[in-house]
Amino acid sequence: MQSSSVDTHVEGNLFDGFMPGRNFCIRNEWLRKSMIANPRVDVVSPGRIHFSLFDYNHMRPPLPGGGGIGISTGAFTNNVVLQSGMKGSAIDHLPPAAQHIFMLFKALLGYERDDISVAVNKKMPYSHCGYGSNVTLNTSLFWGLNAMFNYPFTREEAFAILTHNYIESTDDKKVHWGFDTGVGEAVLLFGGFVLIDERCKFVNSVSVPELYTVIAKGNMAALACEDYISRGLVENGETGSVEAQINEEVGMVHQLKYGKSLKAFLDEQLIPIFEADDYEGLCRRIWTLNDLGTFKRMQMSYKREVMLGFEEAAMSKGAIYCGISSTGPSMFGIMDNAAKAAEFKKEIEERFSAYFEFPTIGPAGHALTVSITQGESG
């Protein structure tokens, strides 16, 4: 294990794979001592939707940055079960990124026993599609371990630790540094609409009433423009060095054109709204994102007429917001009642089946939930 301050030094290619358990970013103030208090912990976590990046200039792994707004979607969930008292830990079946987070948690506590097993009884079915499959599983695992050890870390501390140790699985054995805005960790830990600024500072969450997401998996081959297809993104999605290249070559084009306006919108409108926990104010202003942020940016890579048609259909069904999640290809609408959600799902099936598949309805804005065998739940 290699420990360091927050300014982790990376040698060689940033996206070269390394074995789980190396290159931890650990601050002295994160080190704790705690023992297992709850022998079994069940964690259910929703997926995440990321509405818009704020600044490509701050996307510099291994540091987090870029920012964004997001909310959870219960359209798909992870279910992680942790048990102690085992004869040897059982984590080899986990994705390498999850193994890395497991080892990180033990390192923070100086816990050397090998007696915890982890089972992923349910996992999100898609990766690199905008659902946050990697970040939600890793956050679930970390928070489940936190519950098992009687919560040595606050939600704010867990957010900081996870965002400064964000990795993705390179293959079935190694991990690599990834681009992390902090939105995925925040929607699971805090719930509601969350706002993360461009430097990965958690601003606040806005409480929400009963909301529903309708999210549909984009068909990359049908939706992508030729530039995206030629980069191999149909097969692998945006990840690692490919993501870095397209951020530089395409994302920065958007940044130069819209960056100042997006920053002004963040500072002058979004931050005051979130600091005031103003749900109604957010609903009035959130559509502005689609003229400035990621929804606009991705029209350089996906078919513009399809994206705008999807947006128009969501508006016609009364969506409080609609957009593309992360870099897609999945798109979503957020509705304030179940009937509207069902109508929009039907609209997707009837009008957009060539471009989007598996439209699914789920509750929005819920944090992850924890059930433990003894003590208080978190």
Side-chain angles (χ1 to χ4, degrees):
M1 180 191 74
Q2 296 177 351
S3 301
S4 74
S5 71
V6 70
D7 296 319
T8 303
H9 177 65
V10 178
E11 297 181 355
N13 189 325
L14 179 66
F15 300 105
D16 284 346
F18 56 90
M19 295 302 292
R22 296 187 61 81
N23 296 319
F24 291 151
C25 173
I26 294 179
R27 295 174 176 172
N28 288 334
E29 61 265 30
W30 294 340
L31 299 176
R32 304 288 154 85
K33 289 293 183 182
S34 185
M35 298 301 294
I36 292 174
N38 302 301
R40 180 184 167 109
V41 177
D42 293 68
V43 186
V44 176
S45 63
R48 76 95 175 90
I49 298 174
H50 185 295
F51 301 171
S52 186
L53 188 75
F54 291 127
D55 195 335
Y56 280 93
N57 291 303
H58 289 279
M59 298 188 76
R60 299 191 298 264
L63 295 177
I69 291 183
I71 198 168
S72 69
T73 172
F76 298 102
T77 59
N78 296 302
N79 179 208
V80 178
V81 178
L82 302 97
Q83 295 187 77
S84 65
M86 303 292 106
K87 293 182 179 179
S89 63
I91 65 167
D92 290 346
H93 63 287
L94 296 176
Q99 295 180 35
H100 185 79
I101 296 302
F102 182 92
M103 295 175 187
L104 170 65
F105 188 93
K106 290 180 66 177
L108 290 166
L109 267 60
Y111 190 81
E112 298 181 352
R113 294 174 63 179
D114 191 27
D115 60 350
I116 301 171
S117 69
V118 181
V120 182
N121 290 346
K122 189 175 183 181
K123 186 180 178 183
M124 261 178 275
Y126 313 120
S127 61
H128 303 302
C129 289
Y131 293 81
S133 58
N134 181 65
V135 69
T136 56
L137 178 60
N138 294 344
T139 303
S140 301
L141 177 58
F142 187 94
W143 196 253
L145 288 164
N146 199 41
M148 177 173 277
F149 283 81
N150 202 29
Y151 299 103
F153 301 106
T154 66
R155 293 178 190 269
E156 289 78 10
E157 288 170 330
F159 174 81
I161 293 166
L162 286 164
T163 55
H164 285 90
N165 284 277
Y166 182 78
I167 38 76
E168 296 181 358
S169 298
T170 302
D171 48 30
D172 61 352
K173 292 183 179 180
K174 294 183 178 181
V175 297
H176 65 79
W177 294 109
F179 292 92
D180 188 30
T181 62
V183 169
E185 294 90 347
V187 298
L188 265 62
L189 292 170
F190 302 106
F193 285 110
V194 301
L195 177 64
I196 312 297
D197 75 7
E198 72 276 18
R199 298 179 184 275
C200 199
K201 175 187 175 184
F202 172 66
V203 177
N204 202 10
S205 60
V206 168
S207 306
V208 298
E210 183 176 357
L211 295 177
Y212 296 87
T213 55
V214 185
I215 187 164
K217 178 179 176 290
N219 180 340
M220 183 75 86
L223 189 61
C225 297
E226 181 56 36
D227 175 66
Y228 235 43
I229 295 172
S230 66
R231 294 173 186 271
L233 291 161
V234 171
E235 295 81 14
N236 302 314
E238 284 196 26
T239 182
S241 58
V242 174
E243 184 175 6
Q245 184 178 20
I246 200 167
N247 285 349
E248 184 65 29
E249 296 178 359
V250 184
M252 287 305 296
V253 173
H254 179 270
Q255 181 71 35
L256 289 171
K257 186 173 183 178
Y258 293 98
K260 289 183 179 179
S261 297
L262 194 54
K263 174 64 173 169
F265 181 59
L266 169 66
D267 291 343
E268 297 168 13
Q269 297 200 48
L270 290 178
I271 289 177
I273 285 170
F274 273 82
E275 288 178 340
D277 191 12
D278 182 4
Y279 171 76
E280 297 297 334
L282 180 59
C283 290
R284 287 193 299 269
R285 294 174 175 82
I286 195 169
W287 289 95
T288 302
L289 280 176
N290 287 11
D291 297 323
L292 300 173
T294 300
F295 186 83
K296 192 77 170 180
R297 143 73 187 99
M298 295 314 299
Q299 291 171 40
M300 300 167 69
S301 298
Y302 298 131
K303 292 176 180 175
R304 181 173 182 270
E305 68 275 12
V306 176
M307 292 181 63
L308 293 178
F310 192 102
E311 179 190 45
E312 182 277 328
M315 286 181 169
S316 72
K317 298 301 180 183
I320 66 167
Y321 184 61
C322 163
I324 193 161
S325 183
S326 186
T327 57
S330 299
M331 291 187 65
F332 66 90
I334 301 175
M335 309 292 179
D336 58 10
N337 67 61
K340 290 180 183 178
E343 290 175 5
F344 184 45
K345 178 176 180 289
K346 184 178 179 182
E347 184 88 350
I348 296 170
E349 293 167 338
E350 293 178 350
R351 287 185 55 190
F352 299 96
S353 60
Y355 301 100
F356 298 96
E357 54 190 354
F358 311 125
T360 308
I361 299 171
H366 295 176
L368 52 71
T369 59
V370 173
S371 300
I372 58 181
T373 57
Q374 61 189 53
E376 297 297 325
S377 63

